[in-house]
Amino acid sequence: MPPNFYAGDGGERVTVDELLRAAAARLERSGDLDAEADARWLLCGCLGCNSSWLRFSAPPDEAGQARYWAMVERRAAGEPLQYILGDQPFCGRSFHTDARALIPRPETEELCLKALELIRGVTRPDVLDVGTGTGVLAVTIALERTDARVVGVDISSEALELARENAQALGAQVELCLGDLYAPVSGRAFDMIVSNPPYLSACDMAQLQREVRREPALALFGGEDGLDVYRRLAQGAATMLKPGGHIALEVG
């Protein structure tokens, strides 16, 4: 059972520092390699403040502590921090994240910026995001290029619903289609195809960190050598791209 630091007889509650030390110790025992940082992020999420203001915050009351320790136990069990907190920053915006889709990584921001660079001189570009997941690529491109016509495709209906929620929350105009790779947009052509496809090999999958195992395998496993989806994307790209169009993929 988590410690209850709340003094119900009128005594002083535990300090924020004491609560953080206890939580970090619990996470460290569970094998969390970033125990102190995770304890802080979880308490920030529980208190609704950012890290710089945490030391000025009052410790949570008994109900707040119960919420915090429930979050700590989820993290101790290996659930990714982003799923517990429910959001992840991407290119300066906050996207809702949960177990329906892969957690956006900082490296994918580089892919997004490169895609935007490649369509800089194109008027009203047509953009296709294959395997949109949380929608970070499609939504960000749509918001940065308000003249673009952006389509996001995913084979997972759950991921597509999450992308729809993010698009609506951020006010992005994105067409979302359910289906496998190019199938939902067959017959159309695009100035830019962008994708962060599954690229883990069978060997990679066998060695995954416990947190990554909580993310959808559909968004991770790319076949025996990790390149199955790349082959399919490459084979169909010629018919899906406009003359002078580009395809930009995250790899490895």
Side-chain angles (χ1 to χ4, degrees):
M1 292 292 291
N4 181 5
F5 290 109
Y6 187 83
D9 57 358
E12 292 296 323
R13 291 205 300 268
V14 67
T15 66
V16 165
D17 283 344
E18 289 170 330
L19 190 59
L20 285 172
R21 283 197 296 270
R26 170 69 184 99
L27 293 175
E28 190 171 357
R29 289 195 302 273
S30 77
D32 186 347
L33 299 179
D34 295 307
E36 291 187 12
D38 286 353
R40 291 181 65 83
W41 280 115
L42 291 171
L43 189 54
C44 287
C46 184
L47 294 174
C49 68
N50 60 41
S51 185
S52 61
W53 282 98
L54 187 58
R55 63 193 180 97
F56 300 111
S57 300
D61 59 15
E62 192 169 11
Q65 282 189 44
R67 289 194 303 274
Y68 179 55
W69 280 103
M71 296 167 77
V72 169
E73 288 302 321
R74 288 170 65 186
R75 183 72 192 99
E79 187 172 351
L81 185 69
Q82 295 88 343
Y83 287 169
I84 301 169
L85 294 175
D87 61 63
Q88 172 73 356
F90 187 89
C91 288
R93 298 178 177 90
S94 181
F95 286 79
H96 178 57
T97 55
D98 60 33
R100 288 176 287 178
L102 193 72
I103 298 166
R105 266 66 169 184
E107 294 80 6
T108 307
E109 294 185 348
E110 298 178 30
L111 173 65
C112 189
L113 295 174
K114 186 63 178 179
L116 287 166
E117 176 189 325
L118 289 169
I119 58 172
R120 186 174 296 153
V122 182
T123 303
R124 297 193 68 201
D126 289 291
V127 179
L128 173 64
D129 174 19
V130 180
T132 194
T134 56
V136 289
L137 288 169
V139 169
T140 301
I141 292 171
L143 291 172
E144 293 296 325
R145 284 295 303 266
T146 54
D147 64 327
R149 292 168 293 200
V150 182
V151 182
V153 170
D154 206 290
I155 197 171
S156 165
S157 59
E158 292 185 340
L160 208 65
E161 184 56 33
L162 179 57
R164 183 171 291 108
E165 291 168 12
N166 278 319
Q168 291 173 349
L170 292 167
Q173 296 297 315
V174 177
E175 179 186 350
L176 295 169
C177 302
L178 178 65
D180 185 28
L181 300 187
Y182 300 131
V185 290
S186 178
R188 298 167 67 172
F190 298 86
D191 298 287
M192 166 60 66
I193 297 171
V194 63
S195 180
N196 177 21
Y199 53 66
L200 296 185
S201 67
C203 181
D204 293 330
M205 293 293 290
Q207 302 176 53
L208 284 183
Q209 294 175 303
R210 61 175 187 166
E211 290 83 2
V212 183
R213 293 194 192 103
R214 296 295 193 95
E215 298 183 68
L218 188 64
L220 294 168
F221 183 50
E224 188 64 28
D225 64 358
L227 298 175
D228 283 1
V229 181
Y230 293 89
R231 295 186 183 95
R232 296 179 60 204
L233 286 169
Q235 288 166 0
T239 60
M240 299 301 300
L241 286 171
K242 295 180 182 180
H246 297 274
I247 181 167
L249 309 174
E250 185 170 332
V251 181

